[in-house]
Structures are given as structure tokens and as C-alpha cells.
Amino acid sequence: MLLIWVIPGAFGETPKRSLPVADTVFIKARIWTADPHNPHAQALAIKGEEIMAVGSETEITGYIDDSTEVINVAGNMLLPGFIDSHVHFLIGGMGLSSVQLRDAKTPQEFSHRIGDFAASQPGGKWILNGEWDHENWGGELPGKEWIDELTPKNPVFVMRLDGHMALANSLALELAGVDSDTPDVEGGEIVRDSEGNPTGVLKDNAMNLIQSIIPEPDEAQLDAALQAASEHVASYGITSVHDMGDWQSMRSLRTYQRAHEKGQLRTRIYAVEPLETWQKVANYVAEHGRGDEWLKVGGVKGFMDGSLGSHTAAFYEPYTDTPDDSGFFINPPEQMEEWITAADRAGLQLMVHAIGDRAIGRLLDIYAGIEEVQGGVDRRWRIEHAQHIEPEDIIRFSELDVIASMQPYHAIDDGRWAERVIGAERAQTTYAFRALLDSNTQLAFGSDWFVAPVSPIMGIYAAVTRRTLDDNNPQGWVPEQKISLEQALIAYTRGAAYASAEEKIKGSLAPGKLADLVILDQDLFSIEAEQIADVQVQRTIVGGRTVFSRD
């Protein structure tokens, strides 16, 4: 438990002041700073939104006077606030109040949860989000007949947890005009039965057939989603997020700006926009700049391919379980090269989703070509997910200074079934954390929330143990790719700050940096790796202000 007091003379006679006075001081802490010049400390002082000093308790008590709030951390761990380098922030916030399908274990449970939720909603209201996983019941894809009778008055469009596949009920298909005569969609798939009728499942670009008719959330709904998302991530120790731009209308950015203008932001946000809108983003940056310490802009995110679980990730060789299928590109590589080249020329940061080995290899080719033509500068190029890498492409990340923006929780989730769909050989360089670090590649970790749980603690546990969620890999799935606790922590702090070009102001605890901190109820370095998953966040501080406390 954290003890707080403000006691005049708590440390004896107040000495003549030689140091400035801190607003808040944390004492009796086990501090891991992520600062290689001063990796461990006992106490920390804050003034305003910045860190004044980090050091021994004797050193830091000099910043205390009668007005200082002194917080006794009672031997618990204090470290930099976690930075989640890949989230879908507002969609995640909206999903907190929608039907919850992630842990539905059977088709019956899946159907009943949707039916029960629909019964609580007014007729005509869309039922969205959900985040189901058909691997929970053996891999059979759901169909519209699973839910039609339970949802006669509500259109349904619930996502698979990876966001690359969704199930629509018959009402939603009818409203969108999707039937057996609807032509196939490039970069997507309308899953059909043996007679050519849509089953209700749509993949990647085909999802736009339904999404295009779903009413847009209004400002009040978006503002509520922001508040819910901020409260949610704060409870897991997250102080900054990189939001991956889910709408082309800059809807997310406008939501964040409304909150920022009112002084209501509680999470620092890098608002990334879709790659295809690069010109709009470049114009915005030219007129307004790149933002400040609370709200940053200037990044664009695109898609090479889909996901492993939806069989839409692009591979060189076919999927093991579907030998006529090797996935596909969501956008033609030639189009991606045009967009990426233009965005890079405009000075924007590139963050491109690539999961299959063919998608990753082609994206690395695009990056290499741009560097050859436009010269080498500090671009902070990123590949989002970087899940299934050809062995010879691993070193290219380092050679091209490409950041691997990865989500380790996916490894212990997908690891339950991935070898069934890509085979054991390709699995050896799947979620290749160790191999990438050994090649001197910069890692930045995140969650991909809503796609996966937002918890950095679970992400760290996954990277360090690689123990799959089904407990079938107690020594770790592909254990050669496990990394150390400190390496995982760096990827969630200093590495993630580097990935947004903000390492000078956040990501480690040092004087002059932002006072973004998290306190855990256990010292991660003093417990077994298998116990990491049980660690809880006690307190989250953003800019010197407590935004979550378990007390």
C-alpha cells in the first residue's frame, strides 16, 4: 500500500534551502529509470509536469519542504510510464460498452452473448465491435444464421479480434445490398457458401461494404469513448499511446483537440492518420505544426496485407492448412510505393502494417528504394506488427534503420494455433524479438488494443516467457525468441518513445523529462518470469498528476 503524508519537519529540522522545492517526492522506491546513465534509484522529485531529480533518498530529501507531497512507495517498483506504440484508441473506447465476445468459447456462447446484448438495445441500433476469436472453438467461421433469429431488429457487424474479418447478420447485409450478385472485392473477400451466397463473414476491404453504411459516431459518443479509453489505459500504467488513425476524416484528431483545448487530456497521444490521406496530413502540419507534449501529429499508417488469423496476411508460400491460399495485399504494392514515397517526401513518419513474410519483404524493398533515391535521413520508419519475417529479411530492418513496432501478446495468443496454418519452419522467425534485437533493430512494443488486451504487463510477460494462453508451451513457444525483462521494459518505454521521435522528453526517468510514471505492486526484477502476469499497477502519474490509483 502507498502511504502519503505532508508533515512539517518529517526529516528533522528544515535545513537552509539550497535546492528548489519539489511539488511531489517519491521515496523508498525501487526505481528502474530506463536511463542507462543512472539505471536505478531510490527516490524521485517532481516540479510541475517535469522530473526535477532522480537519485538516492538522501539526495532527494533536499527538495522537500513543508509544501511538498511525500509519497512512500513502500519498496514497490517505480518506472517510466508505459508507452503503447500501437492502439486503436477511440474504437477501443467505444468497444468497452459493446458486446464482449473475446472469450466466448463455443458457437452457442458467441450467439447467446450477441442475442442477450441485442435484447438490451433499442431496435435499429447497430451492434458493433465484439472482438470474437473463432479459434476458441476450433476454427469454424461463424455464419449469419448463428445470430439472425436473435437479432431481428438490430443490424450486426461484429469484428474478429484482429480487425481483419467481421460477421454481419442478414439485416446488415440487406441494408448494405450485399447478396449473391455482389462482385468480389479486390484486397478483400466476401466469404460465400457452396451456392455463392454470402455467409455473413467479410474480410479486409470487403468489410467496407458494410462499414460504409454504419452511422458515424457523433461528437458526444467520441468524447465519451476518449474518456473511457483514457481511464482504461491509465489503470494499466499507460501514459502515452500511438493511435493508429482509424478514420480518414481526422475524426480522432478533432476529438483529441477538443479535449486538449479544455485541458481534459489524461493520456498523451500521437494521432496517426491513414496513409492514403497523407496530403491532408502534410497540409495540416504545414499550417499547425506537429503538436506538443500532449498531442502530436505527423505520422501516417498504411496497410500492406491483412492478418494471420483471417488468412489474409500475404506469404510467399501457401498457408499449410489451405494450400491454394497464400493471402493477399490489401493495397497493390505499386500504390503503396506511390503513397509511401509521397508521404516520405512530405516529411511524414511512415508506419505500415505488414504481417506476412511477402508483405514485409515487399515493404522493405519500398523503403530501400526510397532511401536510395531520396537519401538517408533520420526517418524513424516503422513496420507495424512485423510478425512473420523471412530469415534473410531480419538484418534488413537494422540496415535500413526500420523500427519493428510489435505486439508481444499476439505471440502467446497466435502461438496456440499458428503452426497449424504456417508450419513449424516459418514459425521459427515469427514474433522474432530476439533475432531482431541481435541484429541491432530498435523494438517498440504495444498492444494493438482493441485487437488484444491493452496491458503492458501481459505484453512483457509474453515477450519474456512466450508461454501460450493455452498453457501448452510452458517453456515458451519458439523459446529461442524470448528476450530479457529489461529488453522488454525498454521496448515499452525508451524504445516506444524513440518510435515517435520523443525520446528526449519521455521514455526514461531523468531530470527535465516529463513526469510520467507508474508504480507496480511488485518489483519485476525480484520475481520469477512466470509471476509477471500477476503484477498489478498501483498508481499511474501523467505530467506529475495521478490519473489512476488502486488505493
Side-chain angles (χ1 to χ4, degrees):
M1 176 177 291
L2 303 178
L3 302 177
I4 304 175
W5 72 91
V6 182
I7 304 175
F11 294 88
E13 292 296 321
T14 302
K16 184 177 180 180
R17 292 234 57 83
S18 59
L19 295 171
V21 176
D23 293 332
T24 308
V25 164
F26 296 87
I27 63 169
K28 302 189 185 308
R30 297 183 179 184
I31 300 177
W32 178 80
T33 67
D35 178 0
H37 304 294
N38 181 33
H40 301 283
Q42 299 171 316
L44 179 146
I46 293 172
K47 182 72 172 181
E49 292 194 14
E50 295 184 354
I51 296 169
M52 294 180 72
V54 184
S56 69
E57 198 159 303
T58 300
E59 292 169 331
I60 301 304
T61 54
Y63 295 89
I64 297 171
D65 80 353
D66 294 351
S67 66
T68 304
E69 179 185 35
V70 181
I71 299 178
N72 183 347
V73 182
N76 288 326
M77 186 176 186
L78 187 154
L79 64 159
F82 295 122
I83 301 171
D84 192 316
S85 63
H86 190 117
V87 298
H88 304 271
F89 207 49
L90 294 185
I91 290 179
M94 289 188 286
L96 294 172
S97 60
S98 188
V99 60
Q100 304 297 309
L101 301 173
R102 182 182 298 274
D103 60 348
K105 299 299 184 185
T106 66
Q108 294 76 20
E109 186 178 3
F110 170 89
S111 301
H112 290 156
R113 288 194 188 184
I114 293 175
D116 290 344
F117 185 80
S120 70
Q121 302 299 304
K125 183 175 181 180
W126 281 79
I127 297 173
L128 306 170
N129 305 103
E131 289 82 62
W132 47 271
D133 184 2
H134 61 303
E135 298 296 341
N136 286 345
W137 54 77
E140 178 188 4
L141 289 179
K144 60 183 186 294
E145 70 277 3
W146 291 20
I147 58 175
D148 276 348
E149 291 186 2
L150 301 170
T151 58
K153 298 180 180 179
N154 297 89
V156 176
F157 194 62
V158 287
M159 292 279 182
R160 186 183 184 273
L161 52 79
D162 60 10
H164 291 269
M165 179 162 59
L167 174 68
N169 67 352
S170 289
L171 178 55
L173 293 171
E174 180 183 347
L175 291 171
V178 177
D179 55 26
S180 59
D181 295 325
T182 303
D184 293 334
V185 177
E186 185 177 357
E189 180 184 356
I190 303 170
V191 179
R192 305 176 192 268
D193 62 21
S194 58
E195 297 179 354
N197 298 308
T199 67
V201 171
L202 299 101
K203 298 183 179 182
D204 283 306
N205 286 348
M207 295 191 299
N208 295 334
L209 297 171
I210 305 293
Q211 289 172 322
S212 63
I213 69 163
I214 297 173
E216 293 190 358
D218 60 28
E219 287 189 2
Q221 290 173 307
L222 291 168
D223 292 344
L226 172 57
Q227 180 177 345
S230 294
E231 291 175 355
H232 185 66
V233 303
S235 70
Y236 289 98
I238 295 168
T239 56
S240 294
V241 297
H242 303 171
D243 178 43
M244 290 292 117
D246 295 303
W247 291 292
Q248 295 188 18
S249 60
M250 289 194 169
R251 194 182 312 169
S252 297
L253 177 58
R254 290 198 300 271
T255 302
Y256 305 144
Q257 286 173 327
R258 284 196 300 276
H260 192 17
E261 288 167 2
K262 298 174 184 177
Q264 294 176 347
L265 281 182
R266 298 292 176 265
T267 309
R268 302 188 195 277
I269 299 172
Y270 187 3
V272 180
E273 296 292 330
L275 172 61
E276 54 265 42
T277 68
W278 69 267
Q279 184 65 69
K280 188 186 302 183
V281 180
N283 293 343
Y284 180 93
V285 169
E287 183 176 354
H288 302 286
R290 294 180 181 265
D292 58 22
E293 296 164 347
W294 281 99
L295 180 56
K296 176 183 171 70
V297 296
V300 287
K301 188 253 184 142
F303 287 89
M304 292 295 291
D305 63 346
S307 74
L308 186 68
S310 296
H311 278 54
T312 58
F315 284 92
Y316 290 112
E317 300 296 330
Y319 288 93
T320 307
D321 60 338
T322 54
D324 295 327
D325 177 17
S326 57
F328 52 75
F329 290 112
I330 290 179
N331 296 296
E334 297 76 17
Q335 177 67 79
M336 289 296 293
E337 184 169 7
E338 180 182 329
W339 283 336
I340 291 170
T341 302
D344 179 75
R345 189 178 294 118
L348 303 176
Q349 185 182 12
L350 273 302
M351 309 176 194
V352 182
H353 167 124
I355 285 182
D357 53 22
R358 183 161 58 114
I360 294 169
R362 187 67 181 87
L363 178 57
L364 289 169
D365 290 343
I366 292 171
Y367 282 161
I370 291 172
E371 183 170 276
E372 183 176 347
V373 172
Q374 298 184 182
V377 296
D378 185 10
R379 291 181 167 93
R380 308 287 170 103
W381 276 331
R382 293 166 48 157
I383 294 183
E384 304 301 311
H385 309 305
Q387 289 178 5
H388 311 287
I389 311 172
E390 275 278 282
E392 56 265 35
D393 277 341
I394 288 175
I395 190 63
R396 297 179 72 198
F397 278 77
S398 176
E399 290 173 346
L400 294 168
D401 289 327
V402 175
I403 298 162
S405 172
M406 305 179 78
Q407 302 77 45
Y409 182 91
H410 288 329
I412 62 173
D413 190 352
D414 292 4
R416 296 172 297 151
W417 46 265
E419 288 190 38
R420 187 179 76 241
V421 301
I422 60 171
E425 182 177 350
R426 280 184 287 190
Q428 295 308 302
T429 50
T430 287
Y431 302 99
F433 310 133
R434 166 61 59 191
L436 286 164
L437 284 177
D438 287 347
S439 73
N440 295 316
T441 296
Q442 178 70 60
L443 289 187
F445 278 169
S447 66
D448 204 10
W449 182 65
F450 65 97
V451 174
V454 80
S455 170
I457 292 295
M458 284 303 300
I460 292 164
Y461 168 82
V464 171
T465 70
R466 295 180 72 101
R467 293 165 64 108
T468 52
L469 298 176
D470 56 11
D471 293 325
N472 286 338
N473 296 272
Q475 302 308 312
W477 178 56
V478 193
E480 298 83 3
Q481 297 296 349
K482 291 192 286 190
I483 60 176
S484 73
L485 171 60
E486 185 160 50
Q487 288 168 331
L489 284 169
I490 288 171
Y492 259 115
T493 54
R494 197 171 75 223
Y498 179 86
S500 61
E502 295 179 292
E503 71 275 14
K504 293 182 180 179
I505 62 170
K506 66 170 71 167
S508 60
L509 304 180
K513 289 199 171 184
L514 295 169
D516 298 350
L517 330 168
V518 60
I519 298 173
L520 307 179
D521 68 351
Q522 298 183 67
D523 180 357
L524 296 174
F525 290 98
S526 300
I527 60 177
E528 296 297 324
E530 293 73 22
Q531 298 174 298
I532 292 173
D534 298 323
V535 171
Q536 290 191 318
V537 171
Q538 291 289 86
R539 180 184 290 252
T540 304
I541 298 102
V542 183
R545 175 179 177 178
T546 295
V547 295
F548 171 79
S549 177
R550 197 168 296 278
D551 293 343

